[in-house]
Amino acid sequence: MRNSEDRETKFNRMTQDRKADHIRICLNEDVGFKNKSTGFENYSFIHQALPDINMSDIDLSLNLFDKVLNYPVIIESMTGGTELSFQINENLAIAAQKLRVGMMVGSQRISLEQPSLAYTFQVRHTVPDALLIANIGAIQLNNGFDYENCLDAISMIGADALALHLNPLQEAIQYEGNTNFRGLLENIKKLRRKIEMPIIVKEVGCGISKEVASRLVDAGVDCIDIGGAGGTSWAMIESYRAKSDCQRTIGDTFSDWGIPTAESLNMVKSAVPDIPVIASGGIRNGVDAAKAIALGASVIGIALPLLSPALESPLLVENVLNRIIEELKIAMFCTGSANLKELGNTKYLVKK
Ligand SMILES: Cc1cc2nc3c(=O)[nH]c(=O)nc-3n(C[C@H](O)[C@H](O)[C@H](O)COP(=O)(O)O)c2cc1C
């Protein structure tokens, strides 16, 4: 008994250390892709010098999973499990509530294994109205987690939806990774049958192919979050955490692995045109956000650019989001798109 308790404490400490490493590395190192971009630069809008709309009337709101979002933006999963991450989550949540955008918490696995850490994810009191999304690694469904653990993750934060993340590359590169993905889709399907809540499946920076999108939707998944290449590279992050030169080189080798976000978005929309898609992975300004929506995304997701502001204050998070929203609005104005539906149907986005 004592031995298994010791093992568990040690394991939880390792998970906490890993989370702290991720934050530290993302704040201090260049964790971008080396030679790969999102692909949005291959598109441009044909400027409309005579938009027949009043910019101040542009409506950026939408409904997602029965929640109203004032803007098509989701703060993507980042953290939880440590006192610092509680502060980060609180600051992100205050900004999400103020702007009424969505928020997805970081992987809750640690708090399911160590319930005393649940508070670091519990921001519902701060975001009473905003769309709040729970998060765990899909791979945990192959490692003993079942639908009851997922229900616990959802009820722990009073979530409106559950996101399962897929991160095979990261698991393969990190020294404590879980790489047995055999049968995982079947486990996602089983979970789908038992959980009524919307299920989102997301990548974390390598994108979703059209084959994977089709298989996920056949399994009953409600929404796909692209998590494409061109933004944060988990191969780079794990390379900075490497314990040996060999591992560092492996991380480096895969630093450009993945499907660029714009390409993945096209693949997913062609394979499963009818389900909502979140475009994330390297979205850094409102013009790219507008391009993503014009290519079929319902909303866009942003992670890394919000991390450093969230360490400081909710206001800094808000400032970044407000700038991106303003850019998106200007792009809509200059293409004569009065709302997100019109932007989604625009004929003014062209491939260069
Ligand atoms: C510090 C950090 C921690 C992250 N932790 C998680 C996580 O726990 N669960 C998850 O699904 N994605 C996680 N991600 C991935 C992001 O949600 C997102 O998919 C990815 O970073 C791509 O978006 P970006 O280019 O805007 O950063 C994390 C990202 C960062 C930067």
Side-chain angles (χ1 to χ4, degrees):
M1 180 63 187
R2 171 107 214 114
N3 266 348
S4 78
E5 266 174 29
D6 286 351
R7 260 203 311 278
E8 200 164 305
T9 312
K10 191 170 163 209
F11 175 78
N12 285 331
R13 187 156 312 125
M14 274 168 58
T15 311
Q16 271 183 300
D17 289 349
R18 187 168 69 235
K19 297 282 157 197
D21 277 355
H22 290 157
I23 301 285
R24 179 182 50 76
I25 291 167
C26 283
L27 288 170
N28 297 310
E29 308 288 349
D30 179 359
V31 294
F33 281 65
K34 282 195 170 156
N35 295 302
K36 187 173 268 183
S37 58
T38 59
F40 287 114
E41 69 283 1
N42 298 322
Y43 292 85
S44 59
F45 285 108
I46 304 172
H47 174 67
Q48 297 304 305
L50 195 56
D52 195 18
I53 53 175
N54 179 346
M55 182 162 158
S56 59
D57 292 340
I58 291 178
D59 178 9
L60 290 121
S61 69
L62 79 154
N63 231 290
L64 189 63
F65 307 135
D66 289 334
K67 286 271 169 166
V68 175
L69 277 70
N70 283 351
Y71 306 103
V73 176
I74 289 182
I75 297 173
E76 287 277 330
S77 284
M78 273 192 285
T79 198
T82 62
E83 180 54 35
L84 179 65
S85 55
F86 168 64
Q87 277 314 317
I88 294 173
N89 279 336
E90 266 290 304
N91 288 343
L92 293 171
I94 293 169
Q97 175 66 19
K98 177 99 184 283
L99 297 175
R100 197 68 65 83
V101 297
M103 172 171 170
M104 200 184 280
V105 298
S107 171
Q108 291 167 262
R109 173 185 170 194
I110 190 168
S111 57
L112 292 169
E113 284 160 350
Q114 202 174 323
S116 63
L117 295 175
Y119 82 95
T120 63
F121 295 89
Q122 288 168 328
V123 293
R124 183 44 107 188
H125 59 282
T126 311
V127 281
D129 311 306
L131 174 70
L132 184 61
I133 303 168
N135 182 285
I136 60 165
I139 187 62
Q140 297 316 322
L141 300 173
N142 274 10
N143 283 301
F145 272 35
D146 60 15
Y147 80 100
E148 286 183 356
N149 300 105
C150 294
L151 284 179
D152 287 347
I154 291 164
S155 64
M156 177 192 299
I157 64 164
D160 304 297
L162 170 69
L164 300 172
H165 64 263
L166 294 173
N167 60 341
L169 179 67
Q170 185 197 2
E171 296 287 352
I173 293 176
Q174 75 184 15
Y175 48 87
E176 60 282 67
N178 283 313
T179 48
N180 181 9
F181 274 57
R182 193 183 290 279
L184 183 52
L185 185 69
E186 198 46 47
N187 284 333
I188 294 176
K189 206 187 266 182
K190 280 190 201 144
L191 178 70
R192 167 67 298 166
R193 283 191 219 112
K194 292 189 171 166
I195 283 198
E196 286 176 14
M197 187 119 316
I199 296 181
I200 302 164
V201 172
K202 76 184 285 274
E203 238 290 350
V204 299
C206 292
I208 302 277
S209 66
K210 75 174 189 230
E211 294 77 12
V212 169
S214 298
R215 289 164 71 207
L216 289 170
V217 171
D218 286 348
V221 164
D222 303 275
C223 171
I224 290 177
D225 183 342
I226 301 287
T232 306
S233 162
W234 280 91
M236 285 306 290
I237 297 175
E238 292 303 338
S239 152
Y240 286 116
R241 290 184 67 230
K243 294 212 153 118
S244 67
D245 286 345
C246 173
Q247 214 190 353
R248 191 165 306 113
T249 307
I250 293 174
D252 220 48
T253 303
F254 284 89
S255 62
D256 279 340
W257 183 272
I259 312 168
T261 301
E263 212 175 296
S264 175
L265 179 54
N266 281 328
M267 287 180 179
V268 171
K269 283 312 287 184
S270 71
V272 291
D274 298 328
I275 70 155
V277 172
I278 302 168
S280 67
I283 303 246
R284 301 291 179 257
N285 62 60
V287 176
D288 284 353
K291 290 177 183 176
I293 292 167
L295 289 174
S298 298
V299 278
I300 59 109
I302 304 171
L304 188 64
L306 302 175
L307 181 61
S308 162
L311 263 184
E312 299 297 323
S313 74
L315 184 64
L316 291 192
V317 177
E318 245 181 79
N319 289 346
V320 175
L321 292 175
N322 271 327
R323 189 255 307 156
I324 292 172
I325 289 164
E326 188 60 18
E327 291 166 345
L328 168 60
K329 204 169 173 184
I330 294 171
M332 289 176 73
F333 181 53
C334 293
T335 54
S337 313
N339 53 48
L340 296 173
K341 196 160 173 226
E342 286 188 15
L343 179 61
N345 291 328
T346 187
K347 49 184 193 231
Y348 300 128
L349 184 74
V350 288
K351 196 156 188 193
K352 289 183 199 163

